[in-house]
Amino acid sequence: MTVDKASPFVIPTIDISAYLKDPGSPEAKKIIEDVRNACMNTGFFSLVGHGISKELQERVFNASKAFFALPLEEKRKLKAPPLLNRGYEQIGSQALQEDTKPDMKEGYYIGMHISNDDIQAKLHPEMVGENIFPPQLPAEVMKEPTEQYYKEVFKVGCKVMEILAKGLPYGDDIFKEFLADNPICSLRLLHYPPQVESDEKQLGAGAHTDFGAVTLLLQDDAGGLEVLNNQTGDWIPVEPDADAYVVNVGDMLAMWTKNIYKSNTHRVINKSTKDRYSLPFFFDGAPDVKLAPFDDSEPVGGRVLTVEQHMLERFGTTYGRAKVEVAGA
Ligand SMILES: O=C(O)CCC(=O)C(=O)O
Ligand SMILES: [Fe+2]
């Protein structure tokens, strides 16, 4: 499909409940088509009918608020090296965009809890291992809701991967290896303070594409997420919708499909006058899977990375860049 140059920039709303009920139904076929079209067009869609309860989502937002309200000195203790995708990162740790100030957001990563003695953790010590939680917050406040939520969004993410496979011409099991043996995913709690002064170099999250296969994002009602319309250069706001996950294609899907599926640029600026909280869930997959085009043609850029190599490169670039800024400040 070619995108009509005059076509408006649309982030469609796709209700997947009929697919969840019966993946063989005619309604499910339409959902597969709609998801495929969204991936080829803007790389974004708004997913409803996911089945995750408001109550659980609310508990996770509350966990996030309780955590970020802790004193900075206590939050700073919550790191789990050599793991890169667990624990706390303070404001200014990452610069998702080049030539900007480091991002004005703080975050907390939670993953699949796997013992550090497990062979997978030993093989992939930067990406696979144990979750950590602040001792100050009772388990029912942070650990339980966030780990439960991780499980439920993971299940929806697996369904999205299944729907994606069915919309591609490479067989329904094209992501089998990617989804095998506890694929790496991260739930990220994010907090953006309000940006009182407008400074074009200071973003909440600088313009970037996501690193993984897909992202499932829940945002609160503050607004501030914007997607780039590549044809016009305009930034299109993604309006908050409490019922919806903003789902977007990440770099891995773009690499596998040679950019037929668009890993689109987006950014966050919290222009509201209150704190903004969001919960992206990144589906990054099995670390040894190769990010080579599915059609066996030459990869864009000529180089094939594994999931892990790609993730470490993107973590290294975006966190490394912020370190340089801080050091030179
Ligand atoms: O906070 C958001 O709404 C989006 C964050 C984001 O794009 C990311 O963490 O990759
Ligand atoms: Fe993102």
Side-chain angles (χ1 to χ4, degrees), residues 40 82 94 138 242 261 269-270 279:
M40 290 195 298
Q94 190 179 31
Y261 281 13
I269 310 165
N270 181 9
L279 305 171

Side-chain angles (χ1 to χ4, degrees), residues 44 96 188 205 208-211 215 225 248 266-267 280 282:
F44 272 74
L96 282 163
R188 200 178 187 195
H208 67 282
T209 56
D210 285 353
F211 312 165
T215 304
L225 173 63
N248 63 289
H266 52 284
R267 67 181 188 183
F282 302 105

